[in-house]
Amino acid sequence: MKIVFPNISQIDFEYAFECLEECKQSDAAEFGFNHPYFAPGGQYGKQWWQLDSSLALAGYKWADRGFSETALLNFIESQKENGRICLYGFDVLPEYVAGNNFPKQHKCVSSLPKIFDVAYNIVKCSKDITLLEKTYAMLKRYIDWWYSDRFDIKAGLFSAVFEETFIPYLGKAMEYAPVDTNVEIYVGLVSTSKIAARLKKDNESKILLKKADELKTAINEHLWDEEKGAYYPYDLQNNCRIFQLMASTFYPLRMKIASSEQKKSLIALLKNDEHFNWNTIPLTSVSKKDPTFTTTVGGYQGNASWSGNVWTLINEMVVRGLLDSGENELAAELALKTIYAFNANCTEFINPFDGTGHGVLKYAWTASQYIELIVEVIFGIGFDEEKQGITVSPNLPQALKNKELSLQGLQVCDDTYLDVFISQGNVRWNLSPNCNKADIYL
C-alpha cells in the first residue's frame, strides 16, 4: 500500500502496519484461542483482550480482510453460554490493577463493547453468509447479556465496571451508568439491526431498533444536563448525575443521539480550548477545567492515565460522531490533528501539551485507528451496505484542500484493490481490473 500525504512519509505510514504486525499473535492455542489475533503490545504480552483485539481489526481490515474476518471467530467461539464476551483471556481480574487500584468486581466482567461497531464494519461487505450469520448470533447474544447483567430498568441505562467504561469504574455493576458504554450499546443495537435486516430477520431488526430508541430516550433524559450543556455519567444508586466532564460527553453525536440544539452546545464545548485542548493536541480525555484532570508520563498508571492524556480511542469516536451529525469539516480537522499527533508515534497515549508518547510504544489499537482515520475519514473510503458497493467521499480539512494526496493498493474487498487520487479537491480512482466499476460510488 502506497501513500502520498502532506507531512506523512511512506515510512511513517508503514510504521503503523509494522506495529500491528509485531502485536499479531499467531500461536493462539497457547492462550486458549483457535485463530490468530492481535495482542495489545509491549508489556501486556501476548494475551487476548476483547477491546484491543477488536480495535486492532478496524484498521488492519484494509491490509488483510481475510485475517480480520477469521479473527472474528475468536469472539464467537470464546463467548460464554450467557452471551458475555470476557474482558481478557484469563477472565479473572488480578487483585490489583494499574495504579494500585482494587476493582470491587473482578469476575464475570466484560469490556467496553467496541466489538459491535468493529464487527459490523468487517462483515457488512463480506460475501460469507455463514460468517454473517455467526457474527449476528454473537452480537445478538452479547446484547442480551448486557440487558440481563448490566441494565437498570428504572433508568433505562446500562451500568459498567472496570474496564467496561473509560475512565474505568472500580465499583460494582448496577451502580454507575457511563456515557461511553451506553452510546456504544446504542451503536451496537442499530448496527446489529442492520445485519438482521440483511439476513431477512425483519422482526428481530425492528425489536433491536425499538430498544435503540428507548436507550436514546434514556440517554437524553438522564445523562444530558441542560444547564451545563453536556452529557455526564449517572449515579444509579442516588439517581443523580456525576459532574465529571470527560471527552465521552461528545459521544452522543454518534448516530444523532444528541438533538440539533444539544449538538450546538457540544460543538461550542468541543472548540473551547480551555476544556479539551482543541487548539493544541486534542482531545484531552477529561476537561482541563475538571478537578480530576491530570496527565501521566511513562508507563500506564490506570485511571490517572485516562484523566487527561490523549487517546485515539476517544478521538476516533468523536470524529465518527461529528461525521454522523453532519459536521464533516470539524470531523476532518480533528481526524487530521489526531493523525499528525500519532504519526510515527503509535504509543498508548500522548501528553496533550508536548505530544510525547507514553505507555506502550507500539500499541496495536493506536496504530489501527491511525490507519482507520486516514483511510475511512480523510480519504472517505467505505462500503455502502444498501448499494453493496464501495464509497469514496473524502473529508478534507482546510489544511489539505489544495494538496495532492493518494492512496494506492487498498484492499476494499476479497480480491478488490482500490487506488484513490486527490488533487485540488478533485477525486479520481482506479479499481483492480477484474472489478465492476459500477460498484463504486462517489
Side-chain angles (χ1 to χ4, degrees), residues 51-72:
L51 183 58
D52 301 78
S53 298
S54 58
L55 287 177
L57 300 177
Y60 195 71
K61 68 178 182 286
W62 297 111
D64 190 339
R65 190 165 295 275
F67 179 96
S68 298
E69 291 186 1
T70 299
L72 285 180

Side-chain angles (χ1 to χ4, degrees), residues 33 43 54 61 74 82 89 155 203 228 269 295 345 353 425:
F33 292 88
Q43 68 266 24
S54 58
K61 68 178 182 286
N74 287 315
N82 64 357
N203 188 54
K228 296 181 181 294
L269 182 62
T295 59
N345 184 29
F353 303 116

Side-chain angles (χ1 to χ4, degrees), residues 99-376:
N100 201 32
N101 291 313
F102 177 66
K104 294 180 182 178
Q105 181 167 340
H106 55 89
K107 293 182 179 180
C108 299
V109 172
S110 191
S111 174
L112 183 70
K114 296 295 293 190
I115 184 60
F116 287 126
D117 208 11
V118 171
Y120 168 70
N121 282 294
I122 290 174
V123 302
K124 71 178 181 180
C125 69
S126 177
K127 297 177 182 178
D128 186 341
I129 299 301
T130 300
L131 177 66
L132 192 68
E133 290 173 340
K134 287 182 177 180
T135 302
Y136 171 72
M138 178 265 289
L139 297 179
K140 178 64 169 55
R141 290 177 61 214
Y142 195 31
I143 287 170
D144 291 342
W145 176 81
W146 281 97
Y147 273 97
S148 65
D149 273 61
R150 295 288 187 268
F151 188 63
D152 183 273
I153 296 176
K154 182 179 178 182
L157 294 168
F158 294 91
S159 67
V161 298
F162 175 99
E163 286 184 349
E164 297 163 0
T165 179
F166 292 94
I167 300 167
Y169 178 67
L170 299 174
K172 295 181 180 179
M174 310 311 295
E175 296 176 343
Y176 176 78
V179 178
D180 58 351
T181 312
N182 279 276
V183 172
E184 294 289 358
I185 294 172
Y186 178 86
V187 171
L189 288 163
V190 175
S191 298
T192 307
S193 76
K194 292 180 180 179
I195 301 177
R198 185 177 169 192
L199 293 171
K200 309 300 182 185
K201 299 178 183 290
D202 294 336
N203 188 54
E204 292 183 25
S205 179
K206 290 178 182 177
I207 291 172
L208 289 165
L209 287 177
K210 182 176 183 295
K211 288 183 175 181
D213 286 341
E214 292 169 350
L215 179 55
K216 178 179 179 178
T217 298
I219 289 171
N220 284 315
E221 179 180 350
H222 297 296
L223 305 185
W224 173 257
D225 189 275
E226 186 65 31
E227 182 179 347
K228 296 181 181 294
Y231 290 91
Y232 295 89
Y234 194 74
D235 183 335
L236 294 168
Q237 300 296 303
N238 297 300
N239 302 313
C240 62
R241 296 182 194 97
I242 301 169
F243 291 113
Q244 183 180 32
L245 186 56
M246 297 181 277
S248 55
T249 194
F250 305 114
Y251 285 16
L253 292 169
R254 282 298 313 262
M255 297 184 173
K256 298 183 178 178
I257 295 172
S259 69
S260 58
E261 288 302 312
Q262 290 167 326
K263 182 180 80 168
K264 289 179 183 178
S265 296
L266 292 173
I267 296 301
L269 182 62
L270 177 74
K271 296 169 68 177
N272 184 339
D273 188 67
E274 293 183 1
H275 278 287
F276 293 98
N277 220 40
W278 180 258
N279 294 328
T280 311
I281 303 173
L283 296 170
T284 54
S285 43
V286 168
S287 165
K288 294 184 291 184
K289 299 181 76 172
D290 193 278
T292 61
F293 176 82
T294 186
T295 59
T296 62
V297 299
Y300 177 69
Q301 297 171 37
N303 289 16
S305 295
W306 286 101
S307 301
N309 291 307
V310 178
W311 295 75
T312 60
L313 175 74
I314 292 171
N315 283 4
E316 188 273 342
M317 186 65 168
V318 178
V319 168
R320 296 292 180 187
L322 289 167
L323 289 174
D324 287 351
S325 60
E327 298 291 335
N328 291 47
E329 289 193 11
L330 273 179
E333 187 176 351
L334 179 56
L336 187 63
K337 288 178 177 180
T338 306
I339 290 163
Y340 282 160
F342 288 93
N343 185 48
N345 184 29
C346 296
T347 51
E348 193 171 0
F349 52 89
I350 60 176
N351 184 288
F353 303 116
D354 62 17
T356 55
H358 300 279
V360 170
L361 299 182
K362 290 185 175 182
Y363 198 53
W365 91 39
T366 299
S368 175
Q369 293 189 307
Y370 165 88
I371 296 165
E372 193 179 2
L373 289 171
I374 290 174
V375 174
E376 299 180 30

Side-chain angles (χ1 to χ4, degrees), residues 357-424:
H358 300 279
V360 170
L361 299 182
K362 290 185 175 182
Y363 198 53
W365 91 39
T366 299
S368 175
Q369 293 189 307
Y370 165 88
I371 296 165
E372 193 179 2
L373 289 171
I374 290 174
V375 174
E376 299 180 30
V377 179
I378 299 299
F379 281 92
I381 299 168
F383 189 85
D384 188 294
E385 190 173 31
E386 291 184 5
K387 296 178 180 178
Q388 284 293 293
I390 302 156
T391 58
V392 180
S393 182
N395 297 287
L396 301 180
Q398 193 62 42
L400 297 182
K401 286 189 175 178
N402 296 316
K403 304 294 184 179
E404 304 284 325
L405 295 89
S406 66
L407 191 60
Q408 300 180 64
L410 185 75
Q411 186 182 34
V412 289
C413 285
D414 296 336
D415 57 352
T416 305
Y417 293 84
L418 174 69
D419 303 331
V420 175
F421 304 89
I422 303 173
S423 177
Q424 305 292 312

